[in-house]
Coordinates of all heavy atoms in Angstrom, one line a residue:
A161 N 91.9 124.8 104.4 CA 91.5 124.8 105.8 C 90.4 123.7 106.0 O 90.5 122.9 106.9 CB 91.1 126.1 106.3
F162 N 89.5 123.6 105.0 CA 88.4 122.7 105.1 C 88.9 121.2 105.2 O 88.4 120.5 106.0 CB 87.5 122.9 103.9 CG 86.3 121.9 103.9 CD1 85.2 122.0 104.8 CD2 86.3 120.9 103.0 CE1 84.2 121.1 104.7 CE2 85.3 120.0 103.0 CZ 84.2 120.1 103.8
V163 N 89.8 120.9 104.3 CA 90.3 119.6 104.3 C 91.0 119.3 105.6 O 90.9 118.1 106.1 CB 91.3 119.4 103.1 CG1 92.0 118.0 103.1 CG2 90.6 119.5 101.8
G164 N 91.7 120.2 106.1 CA 92.4 120.0 107.3 C 91.5 119.6 108.5 O 91.7 118.8 109.4
I165 N 90.3 120.3 108.5 CA 89.3 120.1 109.6 C 88.8 118.7 109.5 O 88.6 118.0 110.5 CB 88.2 121.2 109.4 CG1 88.7 122.5 109.8 CG2 87.0 120.8 110.3 CD1 87.7 123.7 109.5
I166 N 88.4 118.2 108.3 CA 87.8 117.0 108.1 C 88.9 115.9 108.4 O 88.6 114.9 109.1 CB 87.3 116.8 106.6 CG1 86.3 117.8 106.2 CG2 86.9 115.3 106.4 CD1 85.0 117.7 107.1
E167 N 90.1 116.1 108.0 CA 91.2 115.1 108.3 C 91.4 115.1 109.9 O 91.6 114.0 110.3 CB 92.5 115.5 107.6 CG 92.6 115.3 106.2 CD 93.9 115.8 105.5 OE1 94.4 116.8 106.0 OE2 94.3 115.0 104.7
S168 N 91.3 116.1 110.6 CA 91.5 116.1 112.0 C 90.3 115.3 112.7 O 90.6 114.7 113.7 CB 91.6 117.5 112.6 OG 90.3 118.2 112.5
L169 N 89.1 115.3 112.1 CA 88.0 114.6 112.7 C 88.3 113.1 112.6 O 87.8 112.3 113.3 CB 86.7 114.9 112.0 CG 86.2 116.4 112.1 CD1 85.1 116.6 111.2 CD2 85.8 116.6 113.6
F170 N 89.0 112.7 111.6 CA 89.3 111.2 111.4 C 90.8 110.9 111.8 O 91.2 109.8 111.4 CB 89.1 110.9 109.9 CG 87.6 110.8 109.6 CD1 87.1 111.9 108.7 CD2 86.8 109.9 110.0 CE1 85.7 111.9 108.4 CE2 85.4 109.9 109.7 CZ 84.9 110.9 108.9
A171 N 91.4 111.7 112.5 CA 92.8 111.5 112.9 C 93.0 110.1 113.6 O 94.0 109.5 113.5 CB 93.4 112.7 113.7
K172 N 92.0 109.8 114.4 CA 92.1 108.6 115.1 C 91.3 107.5 114.5 O 90.8 106.5 115.3 CB 91.6 108.8 116.6 CG 92.5 109.8 117.3 CD 92.1 110.0 118.7 CE 93.1 111.1 119.4 NZ 92.6 111.4 120.7
K173 N 91.1 107.4 113.2 CA 90.2 106.5 112.6 C 90.7 105.0 112.8 O 89.9 104.1 112.8 CB 90.1 106.7 111.1 CG 91.4 106.6 110.3 CD 91.1 106.9 108.8 CE 92.4 106.9 108.1 NZ 93.0 105.6 107.8
D174 N 92.0 104.8 113.0 CA 92.6 103.5 113.2 C 92.1 102.8 114.5 O 92.2 101.6 114.6 CB 94.1 103.5 113.0 CG 94.5 103.8 111.7 OD1 93.8 103.5 110.7 OD2 95.6 104.4 111.6
K175 N 91.5 103.7 115.4 CA 91.1 103.2 116.6 C 89.6 102.7 116.5 O 89.0 102.2 117.4 CB 91.3 104.2 117.7 CG 92.7 104.4 118.1 CD 92.8 105.3 119.2 CE 94.4 105.6 119.5 NZ 94.5 106.5 120.6
L176 N 88.9 103.1 115.4 CA 87.5 102.7 115.2 C 87.5 101.2 114.9 O 88.4 100.6 114.5 CB 86.9 103.4 114.0 CG 86.8 105.0 114.2 CD1 86.3 105.6 112.8 CD2 85.7 105.3 115.2
M177 N 86.3 100.7 115.2 CA 86.0 99.2 115.0 C 86.1 99.0 113.5 O 85.8 99.8 112.6 CB 84.8 98.7 115.6 CG 83.5 99.4 115.0 SD 82.1 98.7 115.8 CE 80.8 99.7 115.1
A178 N 86.3 97.7 113.2 CA 86.2 97.3 111.8 C 84.7 97.2 111.4 O 83.8 97.2 112.2 CB 86.9 95.9 111.6
A179 N 84.5 97.0 110.0 CA 83.1 96.9 109.5 C 82.5 95.8 110.2 O 83.1 94.8 110.4 CB 83.1 96.8 108.0
D180 N 81.2 95.9 110.6 CA 80.4 94.9 111.3 C 79.1 94.7 110.5 O 78.3 95.7 110.4 CB 80.2 95.4 112.7 CG 79.4 94.4 113.5 OD1 78.8 93.4 113.0 OD2 79.3 94.5 114.8
F181 N 78.8 93.5 110.0 CA 77.7 93.4 109.3 C 76.6 92.7 110.2 O 75.7 92.1 109.7 CB 78.0 92.6 108.0 CG 78.8 93.4 107.1 CD1 80.2 93.2 107.2 CD2 78.3 94.2 106.2 CE1 81.0 94.0 106.3 CE2 79.0 94.9 105.4 CZ 80.4 94.8 105.4
G182 N 76.7 92.7 111.5 CA 75.8 92.1 112.4 C 75.0 93.3 113.2 O 74.5 94.2 112.6
G183 N 75.1 93.2 114.4 CA 74.5 94.2 115.3 C 74.8 95.6 115.2 O 74.1 96.5 115.6
N184 N 76.1 95.8 114.9 CA 76.6 97.2 114.7 C 76.6 97.7 113.2 O 77.3 98.7 112.9 CB 78.0 97.3 115.2 CG 78.1 97.3 116.7 OD1 77.2 97.8 117.4 ND2 78.9 96.4 117.3
F185 N 75.9 97.0 112.4 CA 75.7 97.4 111.0 C 75.2 98.9 110.9 O 74.3 99.3 111.5 CB 74.7 96.5 110.2 CG 74.6 96.8 108.8 CD1 75.7 96.3 108.0 CD2 73.6 97.4 108.3 CE1 75.6 96.6 106.6 CE2 73.5 97.7 106.9 CZ 74.5 97.3 106.1
G186 N 76.0 99.7 110.0 CA 75.6 101.0 109.8 C 76.3 102.1 110.7 O 76.2 103.3 110.6
R187 N 76.9 101.6 111.8 CA 77.7 102.5 112.6 C 79.0 102.8 112.0 O 79.6 102.2 111.2 CB 78.0 101.8 114.0 CG 76.6 101.5 114.8 CD 76.9 101.1 116.1 NE 77.4 102.1 116.8 CZ 77.7 102.1 118.1 NH1 77.4 101.1 118.8 NH2 78.2 103.1 118.8
V188 N 79.5 104.0 112.5 CA 80.7 104.6 112.0 C 81.7 103.5 112.3 O 81.9 103.1 113.4 CB 81.1 106.0 112.5 CG1 82.4 106.3 112.1 CG2 80.0 107.0 112.0
N189 N 82.6 103.2 111.3 CA 83.7 102.3 111.5 C 84.9 102.8 110.6 O 84.9 103.8 109.9 CB 83.4 100.9 111.1 CG 82.9 100.7 109.7 OD1 83.5 101.2 108.7 ND2 81.6 100.2 109.5
K190 N 86.0 102.0 110.7 CA 87.3 102.5 109.9 C 87.0 102.5 108.4 O 87.5 103.4 107.8 CB 88.3 101.5 110.2 CG 89.7 102.0 109.7 CD 90.8 101.0 110.1 CE 92.2 101.5 109.6 NZ 92.3 101.8 108.2
G191 N 86.2 101.5 107.9 CA 85.9 101.6 106.5 C 85.2 102.8 106.0 O 85.5 103.4 105.0
I192 N 84.2 103.3 106.9 CA 83.5 104.4 106.5 C 84.4 105.7 106.6 O 84.3 106.6 105.8 CB 82.2 104.6 107.4 CG1 81.2 103.4 107.1 CG2 81.6 106.0 107.3 CD1 80.0 103.3 108.1
A193 N 85.3 105.7 107.7 CA 86.2 106.8 107.7 C 87.1 106.9 106.6 O 87.3 108.0 106.0 CB 87.0 106.8 109.0
D194 N 87.6 105.8 106.1 CA 88.4 105.8 104.9 C 87.7 106.2 103.6 O 88.2 106.9 102.8 CB 89.1 104.4 104.7 CG 90.3 104.2 105.6 OD1 91.1 105.1 105.8 OD2 90.4 103.0 106.1
F195 N 86.4 105.7 103.6 CA 85.6 106.1 102.4 C 85.3 107.6 102.3 O 85.4 108.2 101.3 CB 84.3 105.3 102.5 CG 83.3 105.7 101.4 CD1 83.4 105.2 100.1 CD2 82.3 106.5 101.7 CE1 82.6 105.5 99.1 CE2 81.3 106.9 100.6 CZ 81.4 106.4 99.4
T196 N 85.0 108.1 103.6 CA 84.8 109.6 103.6 C 86.0 110.4 103.2 O 85.9 111.4 102.4 CB 84.3 110.0 105.0 OG1 83.1 109.3 105.3 CG2 84.0 111.5 105.1
L197 N 87.2 110.0 103.7 CA 88.4 110.7 103.3 C 88.8 110.5 101.8 O 89.1 111.5 101.1 CB 89.6 110.2 104.2 CG 89.5 110.6 105.6 CD1 90.6 109.9 106.4 CD2 89.8 112.1 105.8
M198 N 88.5 109.3 101.3 CA 88.8 109.0 99.8 C 87.9 110.0 99.1 O 88.4 110.6 98.1 CB 88.4 107.6 99.6 CG 88.6 107.3 98.1 SD 88.1 105.6 97.6 CE 86.3 105.8 97.8
R199 N 86.6 110.1 99.3 CA 85.7 111.0 98.6 C 86.1 112.4 98.8 O 86.2 113.2 97.8 CB 84.3 110.8 99.1 CG 83.6 109.6 98.8 CD 83.2 109.5 97.3 NE 82.2 110.5 97.1 CZ 82.0 111.2 95.9 NH1 82.8 110.9 94.9 NH2 81.1 112.1 95.7
L200 N 86.6 112.9 100.0 CA 87.0 114.2 100.2 C 88.2 114.5 99.2 O 88.3 115.6 98.6 CB 87.4 114.4 101.7 CG 88.2 115.7 102.0 CD1 87.2 116.9 101.9 CD2 88.7 115.6 103.4
Y201 N 89.2 113.6 99.3 CA 90.4 113.8 98.5 C 90.1 113.8 97.0 O 90.7 114.5 96.2 CB 91.4 112.6 98.8 CG 91.9 112.7 100.3 CD1 92.2 111.5 101.0 CD2 92.1 113.9 100.9 CE1 92.7 111.6 102.3 CE2 92.5 113.8 102.3 CZ 92.8 112.7 102.9 OH 93.2 112.8 104.2
M202 N 89.2 112.9 96.6 CA 88.8 112.9 95.2 C 88.2 114.2 94.7 O 88.5 114.7 93.6 CB 88.0 111.7 94.8 CG 88.6 110.3 94.9 SD 87.5 109.0 94.8 CE 86.9 109.1 93.2
L203 N 87.3 114.7 95.5 CA 86.6 116.0 95.2 C 87.6 117.2 95.1 O 87.6 118.0 94.3 CB 85.6 116.3 96.2 CG 84.3 115.3 96.2 CD1 83.4 115.5 97.4 CD2 83.5 115.6 94.9
E204 N 88.6 117.1 96.2 CA 89.6 118.2 96.2 C 90.5 118.0 95.0 O 91.0 119.1 94.5 CB 90.4 118.1 97.5 CG 89.6 118.7 98.7 CD 89.3 120.2 98.5 OE1 90.1 121.0 98.3 OE2 88.0 120.5 98.4
A205 N 90.9 116.9 94.6 CA 91.8 116.7 93.4 C 91.1 117.2 92.2 O 91.8 117.9 91.4 CB 92.0 115.2 93.3
A206 N 89.9 116.9 92.1 CA 89.1 117.4 90.9 C 88.9 119.0 91.0 O 89.0 119.6 90.0 CB 87.7 116.8 90.8
R207 N 88.7 119.5 92.1 CA 88.5 120.9 92.3 C 89.8 121.7 92.1 O 89.9 122.8 91.4 CB 88.0 121.3 93.6 CG 87.6 122.7 93.9 CD 87.1 123.0 95.3 NE 88.0 122.8 96.3 CZ 88.9 123.8 96.6 NH1 88.9 124.9 95.9 NH2 89.8 123.6 97.6
T208 N 91.0 121.2 92.7 CA 92.2 121.9 92.6 C 93.1 121.5 91.6 O 94.0 122.3 91.3 CB 92.9 121.8 94.0 OG1 93.3 120.5 94.2 CG2 92.1 122.3 95.1
G209 N 93.0 120.3 91.1 CA 94.1 119.7 90.2 C 95.3 119.3 90.8 O 96.3 119.0 90.1
D210 N 95.3 119.3 92.2 CA 96.6 118.9 92.9 C 96.7 117.4 93.0 O 95.9 116.8 93.6 CB 96.5 119.6 94.3 CG 97.7 119.5 95.1 OD1 98.6 118.6 94.8 OD2 97.9 120.2 96.1
I211 N 97.8 116.9 92.5 CA 97.9 115.4 92.5 C 98.1 114.8 93.8 O 97.8 113.7 94.1 CB 99.2 115.1 91.6 CG1 99.3 113.7 91.3 CG2 100.6 115.6 92.3 CD1 98.7 113.2 90.0
K212 N 98.6 115.6 94.9 CA 98.7 115.1 96.2 C 97.3 114.5 96.7 O 97.4 113.5 97.5 CB 99.3 116.0 97.1 CG 98.4 117.0 97.7 CD 99.0 118.0 98.7 CE 97.9 118.9 99.2 NZ 98.5 120.0 100.1
F213 N 96.2 115.1 96.3 CA 95.0 114.6 96.8 C 94.6 113.3 96.1 O 94.0 112.4 96.7 CB 93.8 115.6 96.4 CG 93.9 116.8 97.4 CD1 94.2 118.0 96.9 CD2 93.8 116.7 98.8 CE1 94.3 119.1 97.7 CE2 93.9 117.8 99.6 CZ 94.1 119.0 99.1
W214 N 95.0 113.0 94.8 CA 94.8 111.7 94.2 C 95.6 110.7 94.9 O 95.2 109.5 95.1 CB 95.2 111.8 92.7 CG 94.3 112.5 91.9 CD1 94.4 113.5 91.1 CD2 92.8 112.1 91.7 NE1 93.3 114.0 90.5 CE2 92.3 113.1 90.8 CE3 91.9 111.2 92.2 CZ2 90.9 113.1 90.4 CZ3 90.6 111.1 91.7 CH2 90.1 112.1 90.8
K215 N 96.8 111.0 95.3 CA 97.6 110.1 96.1 C 97.0 109.6 97.5 O 97.1 108.6 97.8 CB 99.1 110.6 96.3 CG 99.8 110.7 95.0 CD 101.2 111.4 95.1 CE 101.9 111.4 93.7 NZ 103.2 112.0 93.9
K216 N 96.5 110.7 98.1 CA 95.8 110.5 99.4 C 94.6 109.6 99.2 O 94.3 108.7 100.0 CB 95.4 111.7 100.1 CG 96.6 112.5 100.7 CD 96.2 113.7 101.3 CE 97.2 114.4 102.1 NZ 96.7 115.5 103.0
A217 N 93.8 109.9 98.1 CA 92.6 109.1 97.9 C 93.0 107.6 97.5 O 92.4 106.7 98.0 CB 91.9 109.7 96.6
K218 N 94.1 107.4 96.9 CA 94.6 106.0 96.6 C 94.9 105.3 97.9 O 94.6 104.2 98.1 CB 95.8 106.1 95.7 CG 96.3 104.7 95.3 CD 97.5 104.8 94.4 CE 98.0 103.4 94.1 NZ 99.3 103.3 93.6
V219 N 95.6 105.9 98.8 CA 96.0 105.3 100.1 C 94.7 104.9 100.9 O 94.6 103.8 101.3 CB 96.8 106.3 100.9 CG1 96.9 105.8 102.3 CG2 98.2 106.5 100.3
S220 N 93.7 105.8 100.8 CA 92.4 105.5 101.5 C 91.7 104.3 100.9 O 91.1 103.4 101.5 CB 91.5 106.7 101.5 OG 92.0 107.7 102.4
A221 N 91.7 104.3 99.5 CA 91.0 103.2 98.8 C 91.7 101.9 99.0 O 91.1 100.9 99.3 CB 91.0 103.5 97.2
E222 N 93.0 101.9 99.0 CA 93.8 100.7 99.3 C 93.6 100.2 100.7 O 93.5 98.9 101.0 CB 95.2 100.9 99.1 CG 95.6 101.0 97.6 CD 97.1 101.5 97.2 OE1 97.8 102.1 98.2 OE2 97.4 101.4 96.2
S223 N 93.4 101.1 101.6 CA 93.1 100.7 103.1 C 91.8 99.9 103.1 O 91.6 99.0 103.8 CB 93.0 101.9 103.9 OG 92.7 101.6 105.3
I224 N 90.8 100.5 102.3 CA 89.4 99.8 102.3 C 89.6 98.5 101.6 O 89.0 97.5 102.2 CB 88.5 100.7 101.5 CG1 88.2 102.1 102.2 CG2 87.1 100.0 101.2 CD1 87.4 103.1 101.4
I225 N 90.2 98.4 100.5 CA 90.4 97.1 99.8 C 91.1 96.1 100.6 O 90.7 94.9 100.8 CB 91.0 97.3 98.4 CG1 90.1 98.1 97.5 CG2 91.4 96.0 97.7 CD1 90.8 98.7 96.3
S226 N 92.2 96.5 101.2 CA 93.1 95.5 101.9 C 92.4 95.0 103.3 O 92.8 94.1 103.8 CB 94.4 96.1 102.2 OG 94.3 97.1 103.0
S227 N 91.4 95.8 103.8 CA 90.8 95.4 105.0 C 90.1 94.1 105.0 O 89.9 93.4 105.9 CB 89.8 96.5 105.5 OG 88.5 96.4 104.7
G228 N 89.7 93.6 103.7 CA 89.0 92.5 103.5 C 87.5 92.5 104.1 O 86.8 91.4 104.0
S229 N 87.0 93.6 104.5 CA 85.7 93.7 105.1 C 84.6 93.8 104.0 O 83.4 93.5 104.3 CB 85.6 94.9 106.0 OG 86.5 94.8 107.0
Y230 N 84.9 94.3 102.9 CA 84.0 94.6 101.8 C 84.2 93.6 100.6 O 85.2 93.2 100.4 CB 84.0 96.0 101.4 CG 83.8 97.0 102.5 CD1 84.9 97.5 103.2 CD2 82.5 97.1 103.1 CE1 84.7 98.3 104.3 CE2 82.3 98.0 104.2 CZ 83.5 98.6 104.8 OH 83.3 99.3 105.9
K231 N 83.0 93.3 99.9 CA 83.1 92.4 98.8 C 82.1 92.9 97.7 O 80.9 93.1 98.2 CB 82.9 91.0 99.2 CG 83.0 90.0 98.1 CD 82.7 88.6 98.5 CE 82.7 87.7 97.4 NZ 81.6 86.7 97.3
I232 N 82.4 92.9 96.5 CA 81.5 93.3 95.4 C 80.6 92.0 95.2 O 81.1 90.9 95.1 CB 82.3 93.6 94.2 CG1 83.2 94.8 94.3 CG2 81.3 93.9 93.0 CD1 82.5 96.1 94.5
Q233 N 79.3 92.3 95.1 CA 78.4 91.2 94.9 C 78.5 90.7 93.5 O 78.9 91.4 92.5 CB 77.0 91.7 95.0 CG 76.6 92.2 96.4 CD 76.6 91.1 97.5 OE1 75.7 90.2 97.3 NE2 77.5 91.1 98.4
D234 N 78.2 89.4 93.2 CA 78.3 88.8 91.9 C 77.4 89.4 90.9 O 77.8 89.6 89.7 CB 78.2 87.3 91.9 CG 79.2 86.6 92.7 OD1 80.4 87.0 92.7 OD2 79.0 85.5 93.4
K235 N 76.2 89.7 91.3 CA 75.2 90.3 90.5 C 74.8 91.6 91.0 O 74.5 91.7 92.3 CB 73.9 89.4 90.3 CG 74.1 88.2 89.4 CD 72.9 87.4 89.4 CE 71.6 88.3 89.0 NZ 70.4 87.4 89.0
Y236 N 74.8 92.7 90.3 CA 74.6 94.0 90.7 C 73.1 94.2 91.3 O 73.0 94.7 92.4 CB 74.7 95.1 89.5 CG 74.2 96.4 90.0 CD1 75.1 97.3 90.7 CD2 73.0 97.0 89.5 CE1 74.7 98.5 91.0 CE2 72.7 98.3 89.8 CZ 73.5 99.1 90.5 OH 73.1 100.3 90.9
S237 N 72.1 93.5 90.8 CA 70.8 93.6 91.3 C 70.8 92.9 92.7 O 69.8 93.1 93.5 CB 69.9 92.9 90.4 OG 70.2 91.5 90.1
D238 N 71.6 92.0 93.0 CA 71.6 91.4 94.4 C 71.8 92.3 95.5 O 71.3 92.1 96.6 CB 72.6 90.3 94.5 CG 72.4 89.0 93.7 OD1 71.3 89.0 93.2 OD2 73.3 88.2 93.5
V239 N 72.5 93.4 95.3 CA 72.7 94.5 96.3 C 71.4 95.0 96.8 O 71.3 95.3 98.1 CB 73.6 95.6 95.7 CG1 73.8 96.7 96.7 CG2 74.9 95.1 95.2
F240 N 70.4 95.0 96.0 CA 69.1 95.6 96.4 C 68.0 94.7 96.8 O 66.9 95.1 97.1 CB 68.6 96.5 95.3 CG 69.6 97.5 94.8 CD1 70.5 97.3 93.6 CD2 69.9 98.7 95.6 CE1 71.4 98.2 93.3 CE2 71.0 99.6 95.2 CZ 71.6 99.3 94.0
K241 N 68.3 93.4 96.8 CA 67.3 92.4 97.3 C 67.1 92.5 98.7 O 68.0 92.6 99.5 CB 67.8 91.0 96.9 CG 67.7 90.7 95.4 CD 68.1 89.3 95.2 CE 68.0 89.0 93.7 NZ 68.4 87.6 93.4
K242 N 65.8 92.4 99.1 CA 65.4 92.4 100.5 C 66.0 91.3 101.3 O 66.5 91.5 102.5 CB 63.9 92.4 100.7 CG 63.5 92.6 102.1 CD 62.0 92.8 102.1 CE 61.6 93.1 103.6 NZ 60.3 93.6 103.8
S243 N 66.2 90.1 100.6 CA 66.8 89.0 101.3 C 68.3 89.1 101.5 O 68.9 88.3 102.1 CB 66.5 87.8 100.5 OG 67.0 87.8 99.2
N244 N 68.9 90.1 100.9 CA 70.4 90.3 100.9 C 70.7 91.5 101.6 O 71.7 92.2 101.4 CB 70.8 90.4 99.5 CG 72.4 90.1 99.4 OD1 73.0 89.6 100.3 ND2 73.0 90.5 98.4
Q245 N 69.9 91.9 102.7 CA 70.3 93.1 103.4 C 71.6 92.8 104.2 O 72.0 91.7 104.5 CB 69.1 93.4 104.5 CG 67.8 93.8 103.9 CD 66.8 94.1 104.9 OE1 67.0 94.0 106.1 NE2 65.5 94.1 104.4
K246 N 72.3 93.9 104.6 CA 73.5 93.8 105.2 C 74.6 93.2 104.4 O 75.4 92.4 105.1 CB 73.4 93.3 106.6 CG 72.5 94.2 107.6 CD 72.4 93.5 108.9 CE 71.5 94.4 109.8 NZ 71.4 93.8 111.1
N247 N 74.5 93.2 103.2 CA 75.6 92.5 102.3 C 76.9 93.2 102.4 O 76.9 94.5 102.7 CB 75.1 92.3 100.9 CG 75.0 93.6 100.2 OD1 75.9 94.2 99.8 ND2 73.8 93.9 99.8
K248 N 78.0 92.7 102.0 CA 79.3 93.2 102.3 C 79.7 94.2 101.1 O 80.8 94.7 101.2 CB 80.3 92.1 102.5 CG 80.1 91.3 103.6 CD 81.3 90.4 104.0 CE 81.0 89.7 105.3 NZ 82.2 89.3 106.0
E249 N 78.8 94.5 100.3 CA 79.1 95.6 99.3 C 78.7 97.0 99.9 O 79.1 98.0 99.4 CB 78.4 95.3 98.0 CG 78.8 96.3 96.9 CD 78.4 95.9 95.5 OE1 78.4 94.7 95.2 OE2 78.0 96.8 94.8
I250 N 77.8 97.0 100.9 CA 77.3 98.2 101.4 C 78.3 98.8 102.5 O 78.6 98.1 103.4 CB 75.9 98.0 102.0 CG1 74.9 97.5 101.0 CG2 75.4 99.2 102.8 CD1 73.5 97.0 101.5
M251 N 78.7 100.0 102.2 CA 79.5 100.7 103.1 C 78.7 101.6 104.0 O 79.0 101.6 105.2 CB 80.7 101.5 102.4 CG 81.6 100.6 101.7 SD 83.0 101.5 101.0 CE 84.0 101.8 102.5
L252 N 77.9 102.4 103.5 CA 77.1 103.3 104.2 C 75.7 102.9 104.1 O 75.0 102.8 103.0 CB 77.2 104.7 103.7 CG 78.7 105.4 103.9 CD1 78.7 106.6 103.0 CD2 78.9 105.7 105.4
S253 N 75.0 102.6 105.2 CA 73.6 102.2 105.2 C 72.6 103.3 105.6 O 73.0 104.2 106.3 CB 73.4 100.9 106.0 OG 73.6 101.2 107.3

């Protein structure tokens, strides 16, 4: 029941804006919705052992990757530099 409630909250996630690294940085967007669902599915898969949750997590992860909104920084330490605020590796600020 818990998973169904969370899924219903994100039922219209495709209508959310794309990730914005400007004035709307940190606001809820489609990438954050997919990330939240991915984490939910991964936790449920680990808790229940049900493979369907891994499949759902994969779909959410692929949606994040294919959006092109996010990019891994070349150097891990760059993520935390003050001069590199609002970088495209940050999903939740």
